[in-house]
């Protein structure tokens, strides 16, 4: 792999990584969702997980957030093993990790403000005034101060996703996980969510982003991990992945998305099943 | 054929008392059967097999046997064989509550199970415990969703309270049938009874219709 030939210094390289996967495998029935996945996320990095649908990217995020038990291998977060089968451990992990879902998953019976404060009042035990104050700051940050008293159903998809980001940020996480945050959005609202994410990255937030937005991965990501059939087939800095991918399957995937980068790669032949 | 409607007017206070008892029975039963149904639903969803089996047995017994039998059974069998003696009114409330709690538990369980897994994951992702997620996120949505079904149960409960007249609880049915046997004015008394039930029941049915329209699930 060229990453080994010309080693690229990653952000905070050499420090203990905030999140690492060590030979993680996970199987659903006959589907090998994750196959010996090893990867690291350093503090301050934006790591983008890309690859075809069903290649294991989202499963990896769910394993990081203790939403899935592993068949083998381990996931370490802030130096401690993540254990989905241990409720206390799982809750401690999740409290330090924000997660944003493809389908937003706002709480429809609550106002926008309450969606953001519910974790503060129930988990962090803040009093209502302090929770409201923090929530309003975050809603301002995602540009939705005026929607505080609205219900989720009355917001556009992009607005809902921005509330979901504010809800996760309210817990002051050390790491943010994004699971295809723009896949369920209308094209015209994708941009507003991506720009909120970019602003977050610019502030130095550590992020793991599962995405099909190659432009985002290229411009905002510091490190790109390519998944295929549950395995990490290639990883490296965006320049390398998008312009000089060494693994044919990576090039094939990028071509399939219509991404040709600056390199001249012959058109994909569609060798699909 | 001659009618004598005066029996109705002279006995109006007794009808009123009976009607009041009917309303009271229905309200008290539902007030007990909502927490009762919730508790049964939680027990039935318990990961402990013994607990969920016991709850399921209870629910399926009360759902699958006639209420009239349950009331009789509680009234005659409990004192005779188990040395448990309750007043008629207590027995009536007990029978109705067990029965309606069983129906409510299935309603609540369906409502809770209908909340998609993503809502649980979203709660977990901000560090909430399962109990907090149930209480703050799942249950409020589930209750809204099953409100129409609960309202339907309420309307049938309201009419089913008439069955407690068989153990001499002086609800509207008992009082009416008593007046009938005292006066022999069968048509007048039964007509009055029907009118009173209808006057009380019709607005409720309308409210239920409104609830059905208003709380339709919108995803």
């Amino acid at each position: 792999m060229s990453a080994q030939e010309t080693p690229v210094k990653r952000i905070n390289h050499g420090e203990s990584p905030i999140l690492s996967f060590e030979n993680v495998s996970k199987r659903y029935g006959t589907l090998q969702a994750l196959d010996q996945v090893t990867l690291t996320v350093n503090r301050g990095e934006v790591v983008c997980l890309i690859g075809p649908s069903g290649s294991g990217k989202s499963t990896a995020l769910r394993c990081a957030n203790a939403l899935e038990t592993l068949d083998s291998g381990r996931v370490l977060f802030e130096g401690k093993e993540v254990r989905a089968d241990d409720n206390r451990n799982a809750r401690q992990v999740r409290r330090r990790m924000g997660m944003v879902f493809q389908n937003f998953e706002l709480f429809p019976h609550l106002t926008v403000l309450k969606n953001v404060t519910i974790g503060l009042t129930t988990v962090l035990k803040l009093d209502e005034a302090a929770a409201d104050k923090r929530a309003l700051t975050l809603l301002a940050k995602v540009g939705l101060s005026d929607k505080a008293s609205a219900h989720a159903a009355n917001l556009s998809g992009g607005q809902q996703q921005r509330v979901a980001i504010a809800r996760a940020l309210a817990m002051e996480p050390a790491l943010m996980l994004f699971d295809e945050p723009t896949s369920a959005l209308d094209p015209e609202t994708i941009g507003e969510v991506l720009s909120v994410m970019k602003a977050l990255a610019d502030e130095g937030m550590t992020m793991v982003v599962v995405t099909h937005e190659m432009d985002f991965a290229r411009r905002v990501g510091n490190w790109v991990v390519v998944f295929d059939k549950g395995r990490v087939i290639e990883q490296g800095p965006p320049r390398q992945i998008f312009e000089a991918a060494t693994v044919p399957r990576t090039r094939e995937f990028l071509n399939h998305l219509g991404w040709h980068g600056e390199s001249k790669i012959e058109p994909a032949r569609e060798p699909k099943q | 054929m001659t009618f004598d409607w005066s029996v109705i007017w002279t006995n109006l206070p007794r009808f009123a008392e009976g009607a009041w008892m009917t309303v009271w029975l229905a309200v008290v039963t539902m007030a007990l059967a909502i927490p009762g149904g919730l508790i049964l639903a939680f027990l039935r969803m318990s990961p402990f097999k013994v607990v969920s089996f016991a709850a399921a047995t209870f629910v399926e017994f009360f759902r699958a046997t006639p209420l009239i039998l349950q009331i009789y059974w509680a009234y005659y069998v409990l004192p005779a064989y188990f040395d448990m003696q309750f007043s008629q009114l207590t027995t009536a409330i007990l029978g109705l509550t067990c029965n309606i709690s069983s129906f409510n538990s299935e309603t609540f369980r369906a409502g809770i199970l209908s909340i998609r897994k993503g809502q649980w994951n979203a709660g977990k992702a901000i560090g909430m415990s399962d109990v907090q997620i149930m209480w703050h996120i799942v249950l409020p949505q589930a209750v809204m969703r099953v409100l129409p079904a609960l309202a339907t149960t309420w309307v049938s409960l309201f009419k089913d309270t008439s069955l407690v007249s068989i153990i001499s609880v002086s609800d509207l049915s008992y009082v009416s049938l008593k007046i009938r046997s005292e006066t022999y004015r069968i048509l007048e008394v039964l007509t009055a009874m029907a009118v009173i039930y209808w006057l009380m029941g019709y607005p409720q049915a309308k409210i239920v219709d409104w609830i059905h329209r208003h709380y339709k699930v919108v995803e």
Side-chain angles (χ1 to χ4, degrees):
Chain A
M1 216 185 267
S2 68
Q4 277 147 2
E5 292 156 17
T6 52
V8 181
K9 265 269 175 85
R10 291 175 67 174
I11 293 172
N12 292 327
H13 177 75
E15 276 184 29
S16 66
I18 190 167
L19 178 73
S20 57
F21 281 57
E22 298 176 354
N23 297 312
V24 172
S25 294
K26 171 75 188 174
R27 176 181 276 281
Y28 297 112
T30 57
L31 176 77
Q32 190 73 46
L34 292 179
D35 189 1
Q36 300 284 317
V37 168
T38 296
L39 59 89
T40 59
V41 178
N42 297 313
R43 276 170 226 278
E45 275 187 324
V46 176
V47 173
C48 293
L49 312 186
I50 66 170
S53 299
S55 58
K57 315 174 296 287
S58 295
T59 307
L61 276 200
R62 297 167 53 77
C63 289
N65 206 19
L67 291 171
E68 298 285 353
T69 54
L70 312 182
D71 293 343
S72 63
R74 30 178 227 162
V75 175
L76 296 174
F77 174 62
E78 296 185 315
K80 277 184 290 187
E81 188 171 354
V82 173
R83 299 197 58 95
D85 54 357
D86 174 349
N87 268 328
R88 265 175 64 97
N89 172 296
R91 277 167 60 194
Q92 274 163 358
V93 166
R94 294 181 193 131
R95 197 183 287 199
R96 304 267 307 140
M97 234 189 253
M99 184 153 182
V100 173
F101 300 88
Q102 184 176 349
N103 296 317
F104 332 131
E105 296 297 348
L106 293 188
F107 307 129
H109 61 300
L110 300 176
T111 62
V112 164
L113 183 69
K114 291 289 168 205
N115 263 277
V116 182
T117 59
I118 189 163
L120 301 175
T121 53
T122 60
V123 179
L124 301 183
K125 313 282 182 208
L126 292 191
D127 64 61
E128 209 153 311
D132 285 359
K133 192 162 165 256
R134 194 192 284 187
L136 286 168
T137 311
L138 286 160
L139 286 175
K141 185 173 179 160
V142 299
L144 290 171
S145 300
D146 55 327
K147 298 289 184 188
S149 56
H151 274 265
N154 299 324
L155 302 185
S156 72
Q159 290 171 330
Q160 290 191 48
Q161 195 60 299
R162 286 188 281 154
V163 174
I165 293 171
R167 176 176 70 181
L169 289 176
M171 304 301 288
E172 300 185 333
L175 168 68
M176 284 285 285
L177 308 173
F178 292 85
D179 187 4
E180 301 198 21
T182 57
S183 297
L185 296 176
D186 295 331
E188 63 263 34
T189 64
I190 288 176
E192 66 193 47
V193 172
L194 290 179
S195 61
V196 165
M197 289 169 61
K198 179 165 189 317
L200 211 53
D202 291 345
E203 285 171 21
M205 173 63 79
T206 313
M207 297 163 51
V208 181
V209 185
V210 170
T211 188
H212 291 296
E213 294 294 331
M214 294 304 137
D215 196 42
F216 179 87
R218 189 187 150 94
R219 288 192 9 245
V220 183
N222 308 114
W223 196 255
V224 176
V225 182
V226 187
F227 277 74
D228 186 45
K229 299 196 176 83
R231 288 178 305 122
V232 173
I233 55 168
E234 183 165 13
Q235 53 183 313
R239 271 187 82 83
Q240 178 198 317
I241 298 294
F242 290 105
E243 288 160 29
T246 51
V247 179
R249 184 72 183 100
T250 303
R251 290 201 300 262
E252 191 185 296
F253 167 68
L254 292 172
N255 278 342
H256 187 65
L257 289 182
W259 182 278
H260 296 283
E262 275 135 46
S263 58
K264 289 276 166 280
I265 308 166
E266 53 181 70
R269 270 286 186 72
E270 298 289 45
K272 285 203 124 177
Q273 51 273 53
Chain B
M1 203 185 210
T2 53
F3 299 118
D4 178 11
W5 293 99
S6 68
V7 296
I8 307 302
W9 311 125
T10 50
N11 286 298
L12 210 51
R14 292 173 71 194
F15 278 113
E17 260 172 57
W20 167 244
M21 175 58 89
T22 290
V23 172
W24 187 86
L25 274 172
V27 169
V28 170
T29 299
M30 204 45 151
L32 293 172
I34 284 176
L38 271 177
I39 290 166
L40 280 172
F42 287 134
L43 293 178
R44 194 164 180 182
M45 290 185 290
S46 161
F48 302 105
K49 286 275 175 340
V50 183
V51 175
S52 69
F53 181 78
T57 309
F58 182 93
V59 168
E60 296 309 338
F61 173 78
F62 280 99
R63 284 206 313 163
T65 54
L67 178 58
I68 192 165
L69 173 68
Q70 293 158 16
I71 291 168
Y72 263 132
W73 204 86
Y75 192 59
Y76 292 106
V77 179
L78 286 184
Y81 295 95
F82 298 96
D83 199 26
M84 293 165 85
Q85 180 76 63
F86 300 117
S87 70
Q88 285 110 318
L89 191 59
T90 310
T91 309
I93 295 281
L94 189 71
L96 286 168
T97 301
C98 287
N99 184 275
I100 301 298
S101 293
S102 297
F103 281 98
N104 283 355
S105 84
E106 287 304 279
T107 305
F108 284 127
R109 200 165 67 98
I112 289 166
L113 294 177
S114 78
I115 304 300
R116 63 177 185 275
K117 196 138 178 282
Q119 291 282 298
W120 282 93
N121 284 342
K124 283 179 182 173
I126 49 177
M128 295 174 84
S129 68
D130 286 357
V131 174
Q132 289 172 330
I133 296 170
M134 178 59 84
W135 186 252
H136 293 285
I137 296 170
V138 174
L139 205 54
Q141 295 183 60
V143 169
M144 292 295 253
R145 218 170 255 202
V146 300
L147 219 51
L150 286 178
T152 304
T153 303
W154 164 266
V155 171
S156 54
L157 161 66
F158 189 79
K159 291 176 290 184
D160 286 348
T161 53
S162 62
L163 292 172
V164 302
S165 61
I166 59 167
I167 56 167
S168 315
V169 173
S170 50
D171 75 321
L172 179 57
S173 301
Y174 183 80
V175 170
S176 306
L177 299 179
K178 203 154 178 237
I179 297 170
R180 179 199 62 176
S181 53
E182 287 164 11
T183 61
Y184 301 107
R185 304 308 310 187
I186 297 169
L187 182 139
E188 291 87 338
V189 171
L190 292 185
T191 305
M193 179 179 163
V195 167
I196 296 170
Y197 265 116
W198 187 86
L199 283 177
M200 294 195 294
Y202 181 72
Q204 293 174 25
K206 286 286 115 183
I207 292 169
V208 171
D209 288 346
W210 180 83
I211 288 173
H212 274 268
R213 266 181 281 122
H214 208 75
Y215 289 94
K216 258 201 312 239
V217 178
V218 193
E219 282 261 22

